[in-house]
Amino acid sequence: AGRGAQQAARVCHPPGAVLDESTGKVLVVQDRNKTINAWKFPGGLSNPGEDIGDTAVREVFEETGIKSEFKSILSIRQQHQHPGAFGQSDMYIICRLQPSSFSISFCQQECLRCEWMDLEELVRTKNSTPITSNVAKLLLYGYREGFDKIDITMREFPAVYTGLFYKLYHRELPESYRNIT
Amino acid sequence: AGRGAQQAARVCHPPGAVLDESTGKVLVVQDRNKTINAWKFPGGLSNPGEDIGDTAVREVFEETGIKSEFKSILSIRQQHQHPGAFGQSDMYIICRLQPSSFSISFCQQECLRCEWMDLEELVRTKNSTPITSNVAKLLLYGYREGFDKIDITMREFPAVYTGLFYKLYHRELPESYRNIT
């Protein structure tokens, strides 16, 4: 979002599904300058090298003015530009975020509309992208039956050779397995 | 694996956890030219743009001679090169693969050792990396209690504006939610 011309060629990506658990509403936007005004999750141009959660939180804030906290990874999206062509695809991460502010102030350059929409309405609307609709269904499943059903959560590990560290995202591992030695 | 000098600066990554379900053994390697000979999952240099499953299958074959099939994503690894530094990290995907051949013929340039190791032994050995050990525990959990506990599975979607298509990886979504319209 708003990082200038050198990234103009890149597409706009949807990293942040921000759900207000107290109301069941989710933050959605419509892009400016698109022929189809489909509702989607906010996000912008993301740096593949950036911390996953930090990117999503920053992008959502820049695009909508909503502050949020990273909760989990919901989905990994891979876009194939030429079906079957070796090496022609991009990968993006869709995160689940919890809002800590609720007053929308959206980026007029990027967005045509931005609102808090009932999650069930987003699930049912024809006016969204297939990806948005699917992630909305996933989010509704988690909202109703527990986020542990949908979350890909994070653990941190030291790297062996280098003194660096890793973040590893995967399904929750039960205590009994985590503690095997 | 073996893609020449232009990628020499990149680190060696572990994309493929190949588990032989009939024996409970998993494919592990030790890198050549490392001071610590820790067991890890095979893999090599991966193209971020390549199809996730194709990369893992190809890398495992090039490094170990084992043919396999992509089953799911197990984990997303993010390496931070400078803790706290904005934009200084890399992201890699660890896949679960099912072997279709079993006779090892490993790449001598890359590996010092390669073998089928009992999954429980890999979980318990001190001679592995923290990441390997954790993914081994996750795999053991899935092997014993059902891979649905650990798998991040794939669905394919059309892209709205472009005629391209997406692969979306996430937790299994129950039929009842998938069919909401």
Side-chain angles (χ1 to χ4, degrees), chain B residues 52-73:
Chain B
I52 293 167
D54 293 347
T55 303
V57 166
R58 180 180 56 74
E59 296 290 353
V60 165
F61 179 71
E62 288 179 5
E63 192 167 350
T64 70
I66 297 296
K67 289 177 189 165
S68 66
E69 188 192 329
F70 172 79
K71 300 306 284 184
S72 71
I73 289 178

Side-chain angles (χ1 to χ4, degrees), chain B residues 143-179:
Chain B
Y143 182 53
R144 285 189 183 160
E145 308 196 19
F147 290 118
D148 61 300
K149 303 276 192 202
I150 60 169
D151 281 348
I152 302 166
T153 51
M154 194 266 285
R155 296 184 69 196
E156 215 158 326
F157 291 92
V160 164
Y161 302 116
T162 51
L164 309 178
F165 70 96
Y166 296 111
K167 287 182 174 177
L168 196 64
Y169 299 83
H170 54 69
R171 289 290 298 162
E172 201 66 37
L173 185 63
E175 203 77 35
S176 56
Y177 284 88
R178 227 181 295 170
N179 297 336

Side-chain angles (χ1 to χ4, degrees), chain A residues 36 49-51 75-76 78 80 89 130 134 137 145 155 160-161 165 167-171 177-178, chain B residues 36 49-51 75-76 78 80 89 134 137 145 155 160-161 165 167-171 177-178:
Chain A
I36 307 164
E50 210 177 331
D51 185 90
S75 187
I76 300 141
Q78 188 168 37
H80 288 261
S89 64
N134 194 66
K137 286 171 184 174
E145 308 197 18
R155 298 184 68 196
V160 164
Y161 303 117
F165 70 97
K167 287 182 173 176
L168 196 64
Y169 300 82
H170 54 70
R171 288 291 299 160
Y177 283 89
R178 229 182 292 171
Chain B
I36 306 164
E50 208 177 333
D51 185 273
S75 186
I76 299 140
Q78 187 168 39
H80 288 261
S89 65
N134 193 68
K137 286 170 185 175
E145 308 196 19
R155 296 184 69 196
V160 164
Y161 302 116
F165 70 96
K167 287 182 174 177
L168 196 64
Y169 299 83
H170 54 69
R171 289 290 298 162
Y177 284 88
R178 227 181 295 170

Side-chain angles (χ1 to χ4, degrees), chain A residues 4-170:
Chain A
Q6 86 280 11
Q7 289 188 316
R10 293 178 59 197
V11 241
C12 189
H13 299 290
V18 188
L19 176 66
D20 180 352
E21 291 174 49
S22 66
T23 61
K25 287 182 191 289
V26 68
L27 190 63
V28 288
V29 298
Q30 285 184 4
D31 284 343
R32 193 170 279 283
N33 309 319
K34 293 276 188 182
T35 45
I36 307 164
N37 290 322
W39 290 109
K40 51 196 268 310
F41 298 113
L45 301 163
S46 67
N47 261 331
E50 210 177 331
D51 185 90
I52 293 167
D54 293 348
T55 303
V57 166
R58 180 180 56 74
E59 296 289 354
V60 165
F61 180 71
E62 288 179 7
E63 192 166 351
T64 69
I66 296 298
K67 290 178 189 164
S68 66
E69 188 192 326
F70 172 80
K71 301 306 283 183
S72 71
I73 289 177
L74 282 182
S75 187
I76 300 141
R77 198 190 77 180
Q78 188 168 37
Q79 178 174 355
H80 288 261
Q81 268 141 21
H82 304 289
F86 192 86
Q88 297 294 311
S89 64
D90 286 315
M91 223 164 52
Y92 297 91
I93 304 288
I94 302 166
C95 296
R96 181 166 77 81
L97 306 177
Q98 189 172 52
S100 58
S101 82
F102 302 90
S103 180
I104 290 170
S105 163
F106 67 90
C107 173
Q108 308 273 342
Q109 275 91 57
E110 287 182 83
C111 300
L112 185 66
R113 294 181 186 85
C114 174
E115 60 182 62
W116 289 104
M117 183 183 281
D118 199 273
L119 181 54
E120 278 198 60
E121 190 185 330
L122 182 61
V123 163
R124 288 174 200 281
T125 184
K126 302 285 173 226
N127 194 19
S128 75
T129 69
I131 296 281
T132 303
S133 177
N134 194 66
V135 173
K137 286 171 184 174
L138 196 67
L139 203 54
L140 184 65
Y141 174 45
Y143 182 54
R144 285 189 182 159
E145 308 197 18
F147 291 119
D148 61 300
K149 304 274 191 202
I150 60 168
D151 281 348
I152 302 166
T153 52
M154 195 266 285
R155 298 184 68 196
E156 216 158 323
F157 291 92
V160 164
Y161 303 117
T162 50
L164 308 178
F165 70 97
Y166 296 111
K167 287 182 173 176
L168 196 64
Y169 300 82
H170 54 70

Side-chain angles (χ1 to χ4, degrees), chain B:
Chain B
R3 277 194 271 139
Q6 87 279 13
Q7 289 188 316
R10 293 176 63 195
V11 242
C12 188
H13 299 290
V18 188
L19 176 66
D20 180 353
E21 291 173 49
S22 66
T23 61
K25 286 182 191 289
V26 67
L27 191 63
V28 287
V29 298
Q30 285 185 4
D31 283 343
R32 193 170 279 285
N33 310 319
K34 293 277 187 182
T35 44
I36 306 164
N37 290 323
W39 290 109
K40 51 196 265 311
F41 298 113
L45 302 162
S46 67
N47 260 332
E50 208 177 333
D51 185 273
I52 293 167
D54 293 347
T55 303
V57 166
R58 180 180 56 74
E59 296 290 353
V60 165
F61 179 71
E62 288 179 5
E63 192 167 350
T64 70
I66 297 296
K67 289 177 189 165
S68 66
E69 188 192 329
F70 172 79
K71 300 306 284 184
S72 71
I73 289 178
L74 282 182
S75 186
I76 299 140
R77 197 190 78 180
Q78 187 168 39
Q79 177 173 357
H80 288 261
Q81 269 142 20
H82 304 289
F86 191 86
Q88 297 295 309
S89 65
D90 287 315
M91 224 163 52
Y92 298 92
I93 304 289
I94 303 168
C95 296
R96 181 167 77 79
L97 305 178
Q98 189 173 51
S100 58
S101 81
F102 303 89
S103 179
I104 291 170
S105 162
F106 66 89
C107 173
Q108 307 273 343
Q109 274 91 58
E110 287 183 82
C111 301
L112 186 65
R113 294 182 186 84
C114 175
E115 60 182 63
W116 289 104
M117 182 183 282
D118 199 273
L119 180 55
E120 278 199 57
E121 189 185 332
L122 182 62
V123 163
R124 289 175 200 280
T125 184
K126 301 289 173 221
N127 193 20
S128 75
T129 69
I131 296 280
T132 304
S133 177
N134 193 68
V135 173
K137 286 170 185 175
L138 195 68
L139 203 52
L140 185 66
Y141 175 44
Y143 182 53
R144 285 189 183 160
E145 308 196 19
F147 290 118
D148 61 300
K149 303 276 192 202
I150 60 169
D151 281 348
I152 302 166
T153 51
M154 194 266 285
R155 296 184 69 196
E156 215 158 326
F157 291 92
V160 164
Y161 302 116
T162 51
L164 309 178
F165 70 96
Y166 296 111
K167 287 182 174 177
L168 196 64
Y169 299 83
H170 54 69
R171 289 290 298 162
E172 201 66 37
L173 185 63
E175 203 77 35
S176 56
Y177 284 88
R178 227 181 295 170
N179 297 336
I180 298 175
T181 47

